[in-house]
Amino acid sequence: LQAFLPPTKSGENFFIKYSMIRDGASLQTLLKRARGIQYSILAVETIDGEVFGSFTGQAWRKSWNYFGTGESFLWRMRHSRLDSTNGILDQAQKESEIDVYPYTGENDFIQLCTHDRIAVGGGMPEDVDSAEKKTQTEPVINALVDHDHDWGLGLALRSDLLQGSSSPCLTFGSPSLCKSKSSGERFEVVNVELWAMTPCATEEEAEKL
């Protein structure tokens, strides 16, 4: 992902701030650990071994409105981690192959964080099925959510972080990041991580900074 980060961040070290496996499944905990971090990488792994996420340019916080910068993008690994490989080097090569979807400028629906979800990207492309567009004229937050789908959200996670969704998204011109659930249906989450960038060489120095 470093090749796609802003020039001021591409040479910095990665610093893990939150891991669902380590810190527990809670949006509140994620937000607490993300406090004050301007640039961050969100990474999600599903039960099907798919890995995808986002890079965002503003600190995560609760808000009823979208926020964020045009430096943001969505990304996904092309191969599932459950695919058979010929050893660790072959697996490392496959996991390094990613697709990146930069900000299109079509709207400002970049980052969203409410009491019940965290999301990146919004807006349904013109070529989506008419049934999916039936609520497009309603208020954004209510329109994009129903019991089984999150229409138009590029990546969304529920507050317990155990379920999420991804659907085609106008903000980043992206398809569903989750190939096994390609129309915004819920997927089950194995792990969520939030990474920051730091110029420091050690975790202790990064925490002090």
Side-chain angles (χ1 to χ4, degrees), residues 8 103 141:
T8 57
Y103 178 58
I141 295 176

Side-chain angles (χ1 to χ4, degrees), residues 9-105:
K9 295 295 171 183
S10 61
E12 294 190 355
N13 292 319
F14 288 91
F15 175 32
I16 190 166
K17 293 296 294 180
Y18 170 82
S19 166
M20 190 174 79
I21 292 175
R22 182 190 70 185
D23 304 315
S26 167
L27 178 57
Q28 287 297 111
T29 303
L30 186 153
L31 292 177
K32 181 179 179 180
R33 294 183 176 275
R35 188 174 299 151
I37 299 172
Q38 181 179 358
Y39 295 99
S40 62
I41 293 173
L42 186 68
V44 179
E45 182 175 358
T46 74
I47 61 171
D48 297 312
E50 296 186 70
V51 179
F52 43 77
S54 65
F55 170 80
T56 49
Q58 282 194 4
W60 282 106
R61 65 184 189 275
K62 286 187 178 180
S63 173
W64 285 107
N65 297 309
Y66 278 93
F67 56 96
T69 72
E71 298 168 303
S72 305
F73 58 79
L74 293 175
W75 60 271
R76 69 178 177 188
M77 282 179 13
R78 293 175 183 170
H79 305 283
S80 167
R81 301 188 77 188
L82 302 183
D83 290 350
S84 60
T85 60
N86 297 316
I88 192 169
L89 293 179
D90 184 35
Q91 182 173 355
Q93 173 60 37
K94 286 188 174 181
E95 292 192 5
S96 71
E97 297 175 11
I98 62 172
D99 295 314
V100 172
Y101 304 95
Y103 178 58
T104 63

Side-chain angles (χ1 to χ4, degrees), residues 172-200:
F172 299 100
S174 54
S176 171
L177 301 179
C178 184
K179 297 177 182 178
S180 61
K181 304 286 186 181
S182 59
S183 299
E185 303 100 325
R186 301 272 187 264
F187 55 73
E188 293 185 49
V189 175
V190 170
N191 194 21
V192 176
E193 294 178 347
L194 187 78
W195 292 77
M197 271 62 65
T198 177
C200 300

